[in-house]
Amino acid sequence: QVQLVESGGGLVQPGGSLRLSCAASGIIFSRYVMDWYRQAPGKQRELVADITSGGNTNYADSAKGRFAISRDNAKNTVYLQMNSLKFEDTAVYYCRARTSWTNYWGQGTQVTVSS
């Protein structure tokens, strides 16, 4: 059974930082590209960042310079370090594991940026 479990969300003030984690089980983690998505209320889910098995990364323009995605294949975990958080970063953050033929989603973790 495949499971992706996100953690690390919470309430943070503008300018603050959070580190999200997504622990995977039931898959050969190193074979999967790992994505972080987010969905704000009333908006479509959008890609924030992704990382290949070899560590190549890609970021949405909104995340460049503030967020950093990383992975630890030994721990089957992908991370999203979020710095300089803004009100507009408020969303549910989801991780996804994908290959060319399949993908799996986590249940999401809430990030709220508020003063």
Side-chain angles (χ1 to χ4, degrees):
Q1 181 182 0
V2 178
Q3 279 193 311
L4 299 177
V5 180
E6 299 97 335
S7 61
L11 175 64
V12 63
Q13 292 185 341
S17 297
L18 283 175
R19 189 194 195 202
L20 306 184
S21 300
C22 171
S25 60
I27 60 173
I28 301 175
F29 182 77
S30 61
R31 295 183 180 177
Y32 285 75
V33 176
M34 298 300 298
D35 305 324
W36 281 102
Y37 277 78
R38 68 185 182 186
Q39 188 167 19
K43 294 188 176 181
Q44 289 188 330
R45 193 172 296 190
E46 62 177 359
L47 178 67
V48 176
D50 59 47
I51 184 167
T52 66
S53 57
N56 293 319
T57 59
N58 176 59
Y59 295 93
D61 287 343
S62 59
K64 289 179 181 177
R66 299 190 298 127
F67 295 1
I69 188 171
S70 60
R71 66 190 293 160
D72 185 336
N73 288 338
K75 295 183 178 179
N76 289 357
T77 301
V78 62
Y79 305 97
L80 185 67
Q81 177 68 44
M82 304 188 294
N83 301 322
S84 303
L85 283 162
K86 304 176 181 180
F87 293 118
E88 52 264 41
D89 294 318
T90 295
V92 178
Y93 284 72
Y94 300 88
C95 68
R96 181 176 76 154
R98 61 178 165 94
T99 64
S100 297
W101 58 89
T102 192
N103 70 100
Y104 304 100
W105 290 89
Q107 84 289 347
T109 186
Q110 176 72 47
V111 171
T112 302
V113 184
S114 176
S115 55

